[in-house]
Amino acid sequence: MNRFAGSAMAMLVVAVASVLAGCQPSSPPTPAPTSPPPFPTPVPTPTYLCTPEAGGEETPCSQFQYEEMKAKDALYAEAEAVYREFFAENIRISRTGGVTEPTAIMLATTSGAYLEDAIELFRGQHDRGTRAKGPDPTIGKIARLVGQSKGGSVVALKICVDATQWAFYKQDQRITDGIRAVDETYFAPVDGTLKIIGADGSEVDSCE
């Protein structure tokens, strides 16, 4: 075979290879990998912690129990605010010599037997002509009285008051001294407002 024949043969081989290459069946395209369907994001279950009404460690509780606890807490807070308002009015009236009729604050914070007893004491003070003098009484320890009720009360507080630094005077004559006492004070809704409706008191040596 001469040089030219070899070259022709090589060209023929290349051409045939090219034709054969064009006749080969094409491979199917490789499908793109698909991501697995995403898992739904879990919805977190709300957790609630409740503190016992009398105090103590928090424990898991239901939503109903949690809302019930918050409502009770609000009642106790309102009861304490009512007591403090009356307490301040009590000091003011005692310093000015009593009253013969209930004041607006007395009517807003007390009701029933408690209001009647309070106005009787203030009228007696007015009639005797006595006034309180000395440092203001102070509120010491306040505790919830869980499970105690009186006259339809919804909450009750045990409140210690120290009035040992003041006394009642008629003109310049000292008549009586103040004491330290604990009052078990009961609160009930009256006309849509929480008010003091009763109390049981006793003298104590300490508010601790």
Side-chain angles (χ1 to χ4, degrees), residues 11 46 53-54 73 78 86 100 117 120 129 146 173:
M11 291 178 64
E53 187 177 344
D73 288 346
E78 184 180 357
F86 174 75
T100 58
D117 289 346
E120 182 178 348
V146 179
Q173 183 182 0

Coordinates of all heavy atoms in Angstrom, one line a residue, residues 11 46 53-54 73 78 86 100 117 120 129 146 173:
M11 N -8.4 8.2 6.6 CA -9.5 9.1 6.5 C -10.9 8.4 6.5 O -11.8 8.9 7.1 CB -9.4 10.0 5.2 CG -8.2 10.9 5.3 SD -8.0 11.8 3.8 CE -9.5 12.8 3.8
P46 N -47.5 24.8 74.4 CA -47.2 25.8 75.4 C -47.1 25.1 76.8 O -47.8 24.2 77.1 CB -48.4 26.7 75.4 CG -49.5 25.9 74.7 CD -48.8 25.0 73.7
E53 N -51.5 28.6 95.7 CA -52.2 29.8 96.3 C -51.5 30.3 97.5 O -51.4 31.5 97.8 CB -53.7 29.5 96.5 CG -54.4 30.8 96.9 CD -55.9 30.5 97.0 OE1 -56.4 29.5 96.5 OE2 -56.6 31.3 97.6
A54 N -51.1 29.3 98.4 CA -50.5 29.7 99.6 C -49.0 29.9 99.5 O -48.3 30.3 100.5 CB -50.7 28.6 100.7
D73 N -54.4 35.7 91.8 CA -53.4 36.6 92.2 C -53.8 38.0 92.1 O -53.5 38.9 92.9 CB -52.1 36.4 91.3 CG -51.4 35.1 91.6 OD1 -51.6 34.5 92.6 OD2 -50.6 34.7 90.7
E78 N -55.6 43.2 94.5 CA -56.6 44.2 94.7 C -57.0 44.3 96.1 O -57.2 45.4 96.6 CB -57.8 43.8 93.8 CG -58.9 44.9 93.9 CD -60.1 44.5 93.0 OE1 -60.1 43.4 92.4 OE2 -61.1 45.3 93.1
F86 N -57.6 52.0 102.8 CA -58.4 52.2 104.0 C -57.4 52.5 105.2 O -57.7 53.4 106.1 CB -59.3 51.0 104.4 CG -60.0 51.2 105.7 CD1 -61.0 52.0 105.9 CD2 -59.5 50.4 106.8 CE1 -61.7 52.2 107.1 CE2 -60.1 50.6 108.0 CZ -61.2 51.4 108.2
T100 N -68.1 61.8 112.0 CA -69.5 61.3 112.5 C -70.2 60.6 111.3 O -71.2 59.9 111.6 CB -70.3 62.5 112.9 OG1 -70.4 63.5 111.8 CG2 -69.7 63.2 114.1
D117 N -68.7 49.0 112.1 CA -67.8 49.1 113.3 C -66.8 50.2 113.2 O -66.5 50.9 114.2 CB -67.1 47.7 113.4 CG -67.9 46.6 113.8 OD1 -69.1 46.8 114.3 OD2 -67.5 45.4 113.6
E120 N -68.5 53.5 113.9 CA -68.8 53.6 115.4 C -67.6 54.0 116.2 O -67.6 54.9 117.1 CB -69.3 52.3 115.9 CG -69.7 52.3 117.3 CD -70.3 51.0 117.8 OE1 -70.6 50.1 117.0 OE2 -70.4 50.8 119.0
G129 N -63.3 63.6 121.8 CA -62.4 64.7 121.5 C -61.0 64.3 121.5 O -60.1 65.0 122.0
V146 N -55.6 31.2 102.9 CA -56.2 30.3 101.9 C -57.3 29.4 102.5 O -57.1 28.8 103.5 CB -55.1 29.4 101.2 CG1 -55.7 28.5 100.2 CG2 -54.0 30.3 100.6
Q173 N -53.5 65.4 127.4 CA -53.6 64.2 128.2 C -53.5 63.0 127.4 O -54.3 62.8 126.5 CB -54.8 64.3 129.1 CG -54.9 63.1 130.1 CD -56.2 63.1 130.9 OE1 -57.0 64.0 130.7 NE2 -56.3 62.2 131.8

